[in-house]
Amino acid sequence: MTQEQVKTQPKSMEWKYRLIESLAPVLGFLFAMVIMMITVQFIGESPIKALSAILTFSFSQSGIAYIVSQSIPLIIAGEANAIAFQAGVFNIGVEGQYLFGALCAGVAGAYLNLPTYIHIPVVILAGMLGGMIWILIPALLKVYKGVHEVISTIMMNQIASAVILYLVDGPFNGVRGAKQSFNLRTPYMKPTAVFPSLHNIVNSITGLFGFKFPHYVAVDLSWLIALIVVVLLWFLLFKTSLGLRIRWVGQNISASVYAGVDVKKTLLVTMFISGAIAGLVGLQEVAYISKFFTPNITRGLGFTGLAVALLARNNPLGVILSGLLFSFLSRAGYGLQMYTKVPNSLIGIISGLMILSVVVIDQILRRYARTLRRREVG
Amino acid sequence: MRRVDTIKERIPLIELRGITKSFPGVVANDDIHLTLYEGEIHALVGENGAGKTTLMKILYGEYRADKGEILVRGKPVRITNPSVAVALGIGMVHQHFMLVPGLTVLENIILGSEPVKNVVLDLSLARRKIEDIMNANAMPVDLDAYVEDLPVGLQQRVEILKLLYRGAETLVLDEPTAVLTPQETSELFKTLKALKAQGRGIIFISHKLNEVLEIADRITVIRRGRVVGEMPLEEASKEKIAEMMVGKPVVLEVENPRVEVGEECLVLKDVVYEEYGVKKLDGISFSVHAGEIYGVAGVEGNGQEELLKIISGEIYPSAGEIHITNEVVNRIPPLGRRKLGVGHIPADRQAQGLFIDMPLYINAIVGWHWRQEFQKRGILDYKAMRSTASTIIKNFDVRTPSVEVPASALSGGNQQKFVVGREISFDPTLLLAAYPTRGVDVGATEFIYKQLIDEKIRGKAVLLISADLEEILALSDRIGVLYRGKIIKEFSREEATPEIIGLYMLGVKEE
């Protein structure tokens, strides 16, 4: 009788519930945009004008190119956070991990003499290793001493800021004699370590759709790295036994213990993966754009990465979209600032509002879908 | 008798009328009436899962009743959340204390209703007020001590002080003695008697009959969500309450033949488990053979949880030996034991047995995910997982639209059938079944009984832990009574009667 039920009751209802559940980011985005337009009206600017400023500034050729290129570090930071979230770990320390990872990569690129096909992988590995080193202490403290990772990783962020300043001012100073601290940097990377440009390859593909990335926008090896990270992480989480165990630990620790999962080991492994990915965040800037490491490197990508992961609900594929969205938002902020009297900081508020509404709407929709399912089961 | 009569003329402090509350698949409270007068200690007695805590959570505003009303001093009230309850003079001490360990006693007591003088916290006023309360009730605590440094008995005293500081007239204590030493218990009782003398009403939840008879003025017995009896202390006796709690066995129509037993699949030898100096398991020895169901009877809290964890491998024994299929497994973690063929129906299917938001095809392999058929070189085989889930659904009559839905979409009974089905499907040598029919309707209960008996007939060893004596009697070939961390008596099925087992369970009789 039950087998008949399985057969006769169409599976098709389930995709409907899944669709309902996955609407949250879209609705959250729309809700945030509506609020933004209302706010713009209050500021005394025309919402239509603001919208057109955003659209023309963002969806020009260079606008699109910038949005895509600048989404790369956001996507990688989003993945670092997403894998940690999947195991129920709040890795607030992506910030510190990518700073230290970027320094390690810069140093490996500047001081080693290797043929290019070895040097570039070594630079990448150095970045990952740096990220892993920076999560080592919080990971051990969490697993063996029960210290909450939020506290320890925030502290490690502060330490990272100080340590990179010390190291670049001291042993790895590339501008001896330079007195001004804003010039502080490591020596230039060897040409063998610099990331190759992928302009030709990417443009030959996008050219088919009539789009070319201009030469002044970074299209480099870090694109490929981001792509590989996304695919590997998706594969790990949803196709492998380890990934399943990671998601179990993130959902319910006592059920994981019951199932025989080694929770401590799983947490350690997850945190190391997260740290390794975090170590890749700064590579575009260090190994392609500036070709050295400086303490003035773009900051805050780790924290934006938290938001990117949240918006994507920690799905590695969703992170691509939400990374692009956050990149678009930052571009939109400049557009507003340039063409209207709306301050750039409004975009920060909108981003926050968007995350908040996604989280709330997500819960509401999940409950709604659950009720619908219950009704169907009877 | 006279005393009771005079009390009854007064308006009760609290009156619960026809409280009904159901959760998906279970009726936790069914038309419950309860009254509490000033200057009275009213004991609420019943087994775990009988509905005592649910009822008190309704009174305290943590749950909303589906039906029924609450009257405070004769006036109907709507208690929508705990702060409403506090404003009405109702206070509750939970089983697990709600204290902030890193704050001092004083800070904990005033937390939430801090006295303020010109925007500034007036600690000295609070201190004086609390000292008055402590003196009046003879319950001294060092106000500047940190809560984390206090023994459990004093922490509980802080909880009570918290309620008195907020002016509670009705105090609800949920199994207050479960965590206390005998000395601390007698201290607590002194306090409770003092509070009663001041005219406060106390609801005392417990299943320890000695204590109930010592402290209560009136006793209400709850069983399966219904009030089965209310009596003044004068009419109460241990035997009477025990019978009410356990109930007259309704023999479920299950055929349970004896089969020839094989070798010992599970052996415990003088197993001790100590936690913070307390012996939760105190020299347990018993064995379960292939082809038999061994039932562990006992009032919850006598070591069932630890017994289960120590066999499944979540905790390791402090002393003694555990053998599973002739291997010593003392230090082998849960996964290693599962690989020896241990199936485990957990005590709490939602918190332990299932990943509630994940689809059934994933839940179908929880605990068995390590098996060859589900992964090739670490890559999951979703096809095998789906077909396993379908098999479980088919063989164990789980009502679900498909294997794609999350476990949370199923009703409690179907969730339980799914878990039972999963654990049996992988053909375990030893099956641990903890409260296998808790919160499950009669139909599903009978079905699960049949499955467990079939396992036995197939020559498996089954260890059954349950608070439900009927269940133990219906299924077990041998019965051990767990009391205070020990198996104090073993019965064969033929010798066992609910009356005699009930007496051992409650510690009335001891060998």
Side-chain angles (χ1 to χ4, degrees):
Chain A
M1 166 200 150
T2 325
Q3 202 181 18
E4 273 168 37
Q5 270 184 343
V6 173
K7 274 181 191 159
T8 51
Q9 290 224 15
K11 251 193 204 173
S12 58
M13 295 308 276
E14 185 56 27
W15 71 258
K16 203 174 125 194
Y17 308 142
R18 296 249 170 101
L19 185 69
I20 290 172
E21 283 177 338
S22 57
L23 277 178
V26 180
L27 290 180
F29 173 70
L30 291 178
F31 179 74
M33 288 314 268
V34 170
I35 297 289
M36 183 176 91
M37 289 307 153
I38 294 171
T39 318
V40 166
Q41 181 77 55
F42 268 105
I43 291 172
E45 187 66 86
S46 146
I48 305 291
K49 192 176 156 201
L51 201 60
S52 83
I54 291 174
L55 292 179
T56 49
F57 192 66
S58 301
F59 295 118
S60 63
Q61 191 202 22
S62 67
I64 294 174
Y66 267 120
I67 288 172
V68 176
S69 176
Q70 287 171 355
S71 73
I72 297 298
L74 289 178
I75 289 171
I76 300 175
E79 299 293 358
N81 282 297
I83 175 85
F85 274 131
Q86 287 276 6
V89 174
F90 289 76
N91 184 5
I92 312 292
V94 171
E95 186 74 14
Q97 288 145 27
Y98 90 72
L99 288 180
F100 194 71
L103 170 70
C104 291
V107 168
Y111 289 91
L112 296 176
N113 283 310
L114 293 165
T116 187
Y117 58 88
I118 299 178
H119 208 169
I120 288 174
V122 165
V123 166
I124 296 170
L125 287 176
M128 295 171 76
L129 192 68
M132 286 165 82
I133 290 171
W134 221 249
I135 204 172
L136 178 67
I137 293 172
L140 293 177
L141 281 177
K142 177 183 174 65
V143 170
Y144 293 107
K145 290 287 161 206
V147 175
H148 201 284
E149 70 277 9
V150 167
I151 292 165
S152 57
T153 53
I154 286 176
M155 293 197 295
M156 289 303 283
N157 286 346
Q158 300 299 321
I159 297 170
S161 286
V163 163
I164 56 167
L165 210 54
Y166 163 75
L167 288 176
V168 178
D169 195 21
F172 300 127
N173 192 341
V175 274
R176 289 255 175 253
K179 289 280 177 267
Q180 300 102 319
S181 64
F182 54 80
N183 274 339
L184 218 52
R185 60 168 178 79
T186 57
Y188 274 102
M189 292 174 83
K190 301 271 158 50
T192 48
V194 171
F195 279 3
S197 150
L198 297 184
H199 269 97
N200 290 340
I201 301 168
V202 171
N203 279 341
S204 70
I205 299 168
T206 58
L208 299 174
F209 306 97
F211 187 87
K212 297 259 182 206
F213 283 90
H215 65 91
Y216 49 84
V217 171
V219 182
D220 62 301
L221 190 64
S222 63
W223 286 42
L224 190 61
I225 294 175
L227 188 68
I228 292 171
V229 166
V230 169
V231 172
L232 282 185
L233 216 51
W234 171 81
F235 189 81
L236 169 73
L237 280 170
F238 297 109
K239 295 289 162 191
T240 69
S241 176
L242 173 62
L244 183 63
R245 278 175 275 145
I246 289 173
R247 290 188 289 142
W248 279 357
V249 169
Q251 277 220 347
N252 185 339
I253 287 186
S254 74
S256 303
V257 171
Y258 158 81
V261 176
D262 188 337
V263 173
K264 288 182 177 181
K265 199 176 110 190
T266 310
L267 283 175
L268 274 180
V269 168
T270 313
M271 288 178 82
F272 282 134
I273 295 174
S274 175
I277 297 173
L280 297 170
V281 171
L283 289 195
Q284 187 184 45
E285 187 168 338
V286 169
Y288 182 77
I289 297 173
S290 41
K291 301 176 184 66
F292 54 74
F293 175 83
T294 161
N296 302 323
I297 187 174
T298 311
R299 299 285 181 102
L301 292 172
F303 300 122
T304 313
L306 279 173
V308 170
L310 273 177
L311 191 69
R313 301 198 311 183
N314 310 318
N315 182 316
L317 301 182
V319 164
I320 298 180
L321 289 178
S322 88
L324 283 168
L325 181 64
F326 274 89
S327 185
F328 157 72
L329 282 177
S330 93
R331 181 82 184 169
Y334 292 123
L336 278 182
Q337 182 145 311
M338 222 173 270
Y339 295 113
T340 70
K341 52 187 180 184
V342 177
N344 187 3
S345 49
L346 186 66
I347 287 295
I349 300 172
I350 297 306
S351 310
L353 195 65
M354 199 164 65
I355 294 160
L356 197 65
S357 50
V358 167
V359 171
V360 174
I361 293 171
D362 185 44
Q363 279 303 313
I364 294 171
L365 290 180
R366 271 172 193 271
R367 275 174 209 184
Y368 179 58
R370 184 178 294 183
T371 323
L372 288 182
R373 281 199 189 96
R374 278 251 163 88
R375 209 172 287 161
E376 185 184 345
V377 175
Chain B
M1 280 311 279
R2 252 198 61 124
R3 191 172 54 85
V4 174
D5 287 341
T6 51
I7 282 176
K8 283 223 165 121
E9 286 160 18
R10 281 187 261 155
I11 298 171
L13 202 52
I14 300 285
E15 187 173 357
L16 301 177
R17 283 189 190 160
I19 298 290
T20 301
K21 170 83 183 170
S22 37
F23 295 106
V26 235
V27 181
N29 286 165
D30 188 359
D31 193 29
I32 289 189
H33 291 261
L34 188 80
T35 51
L36 176 71
Y37 293 90
E38 282 183 356
E40 182 189 40
I41 298 180
H42 191 145
L44 198 55
V45 191
E47 295 196 84
N48 270 49
K52 298 167 299 192
T53 303
T54 304
L55 185 66
M56 289 305 110
K57 284 190 168 171
I58 289 170
L59 174 62
Y60 194 55
E62 286 177 42
Y63 290 155
R64 299 283 289 279
D66 303 335
K67 260 191 263 168
E69 55 177 350
I70 302 172
L71 287 82
V72 175
R73 292 191 182 281
K75 287 198 193 92
V77 292
R78 280 165 49 86
I79 304 180
T80 48
N81 63 56
S83 52
V84 176
V86 170
L88 289 166
I90 301 168
M92 180 150 168
V93 178
H94 290 79
Q95 263 180 59
H96 305 283
F97 299 151
M98 308 281 177
L99 297 170
V100 186
L103 294 183
T104 65
V105 171
L106 180 67
E107 287 162 343
N108 263 287
I109 292 175
I110 64 170
L111 198 67
S113 52
E114 302 85 353
V116 170
K117 196 169 79 182
N118 304 332
V119 204
V120 181
L121 202 57
D122 190 355
L123 281 182
S124 60
L125 176 74
R127 185 180 292 271
R128 259 177 282 130
K129 198 174 154 192
I130 297 166
E131 274 167 357
D132 287 345
I133 296 171
M134 290 198 299
N135 290 335
N137 299 291
M139 40 195 306
V141 192
D142 176 5
L143 288 180
D144 298 314
Y146 285 92
V147 162
E148 60 194 350
D149 299 332
L150 296 180
V152 177
L154 283 182
Q155 291 191 11
Q156 187 177 60
R157 185 173 285 181
V158 175
E159 282 276 16
I160 296 173
L161 283 170
K162 225 165 92 179
L163 305 187
L164 297 178
Y165 178 76
R166 284 163 179 70
E169 294 173 322
T170 303
L171 285 81
V172 180
L173 303 170
D174 192 359
E175 302 202 19
T177 60
V179 289
L180 301 184
T181 63
Q183 293 80 1
E184 287 173 328
T185 301
S186 67
E187 281 289 306
L188 171 70
F189 283 4
K190 266 189 226 160
T191 306
L192 294 185
K193 281 173 183 158
L195 294 173
K196 177 175 107 173
Q198 298 164 5
R200 294 180 213 266
I202 296 166
I203 296 179
F204 181 87
I205 301 179
S206 181
H207 44 226
K208 295 185 182 169
L209 297 191
N210 288 326
E211 293 172 359
V212 167
L213 292 173
E214 185 184 336
I215 191 89
D217 299 309
R218 229 157 20 114
I219 297 159
T220 293
V221 184
I222 295 189
R223 192 171 118 74
R224 296 202 162 171
R226 295 177 143 269
V227 173
V228 289
E230 195 209 296
M231 68 206 102
L233 180 67
E234 292 80 357
E235 294 169 17
S237 72
K238 257 191 191 181
E239 287 74 12
K240 190 172 162 186
I241 301 175
E243 197 194 300
M244 282 181 159
M245 269 172 77
V246 176
K248 294 244 188 303
V250 186
V251 181
L252 271 171
E253 304 264 329
V254 282
E255 207 180 321
N256 188 5
R258 264 190 190 279
V259 296
E260 199 165 315
V261 298
E263 61 183 51
E264 292 174 325
C265 289
L266 171 70
V267 182
L268 273 74
K269 282 186 191 156
D270 300 314
V271 171
V272 177
Y273 177 69
E274 227 180 279
E275 201 177 58
Y276 306 116
V278 182
K279 281 186 176 161
K280 301 277 188 168
L281 298 178
D282 190 6
I284 284 205
S285 300
F286 68 91
S287 61
V288 187
H289 297 79
E292 74 167 348
I293 299 181
Y294 187 96
V296 175
V299 173
E300 221 169 315
N302 276 288
Q304 283 90 339
E305 199 185 319
E306 291 79 10
L307 179 62
L308 200 63
K309 281 187 177 172
I310 220 156
I311 298 172
S312 72
E314 286 179 40
I315 54 177
Y316 298 143
S318 322
E321 260 183 25
I322 303 171
H323 300 248
I324 292 175
T325 62
N326 295 326
E327 271 194 59
V328 181
V329 295
N330 278 17
R331 298 261 149 199
I332 294 182
L335 191 68
R337 299 195 194 191
R338 281 195 169 267
K339 287 181 176 171
L340 288 173
V342 178
H344 180 182
I345 300 164
D348 186 337
R349 59 180 165 265
Q350 297 215 350
Q352 276 194 295
L354 293 166
F355 291 92
I356 211 78
D357 288 328
M358 289 189 166
L360 291 182
Y361 62 80
I362 283 179
N363 277 297
I365 65 162
V366 171
W368 304 93
H369 52 280
W370 46 272
R371 285 170 68 105
Q372 292 277 305
E373 65 252 45
F374 299 124
Q375 46 181 315
K376 283 161 196 80
R377 294 197 194 90
I379 314 283
L380 293 170
D381 184 344
Y382 279 103
K383 221 174 130 192
M385 288 158 67
R386 285 197 165 87
S387 94
T388 300
S390 299
T391 312
I392 295 172
I393 287 169
K394 193 180 81 187
N395 292 346
F396 294 87
D397 190 30
V398 180
R399 310 278 161 84
T400 171
S402 76
V403 298
E404 311 291 322
V405 301
S408 60
L410 271 58
S411 70
N414 280 306
Q415 286 175 357
Q416 185 70 2
K417 282 197 275 185
F418 190 81
V419 171
V420 170
R422 178 183 72 208
E423 296 307 315
I424 290 178
S425 292
F426 292 102
D427 202 26
T429 320
L430 168 68
L431 180 63
L432 310 176
Y435 314 95
T437 62
R438 179 187 274 172
V440 165
D441 63 46
V442 182
T445 299
E446 203 177 329
F447 184 83
I448 291 170
Y449 284 2
K450 280 202 189 109
Q451 298 303 323
L452 295 176
I453 292 167
D454 281 354
E455 275 302 281
K456 173 185 86 172
I457 294 171
R458 264 179 255 139
K460 315 293 181 190
V462 180
L463 177 71
L464 171 70
I465 296 181
S466 178
D468 185 346
L469 197 47
E470 293 167 22
E471 184 163 293
I472 299 268
L473 287 166
L475 295 176
S476 312
D477 298 298
R478 283 193 300 142
I479 298 165
V481 180
L482 187 64
Y483 182 71
R484 295 199 174 151
K486 270 186 193 148
I487 297 282
I488 54 164
K489 179 81 177 163
E490 258 183 25
F491 298 90
S492 73
R493 195 204 300 176
E494 290 73 23
E495 321 168 319
T497 65
E499 291 75 25
I500 186 100
I501 291 183
L503 293 180
Y504 280 99
M505 275 168 67
L506 295 157
V508 181
K509 271 194 156 189
E510 229 171 316
E511 289 283 283

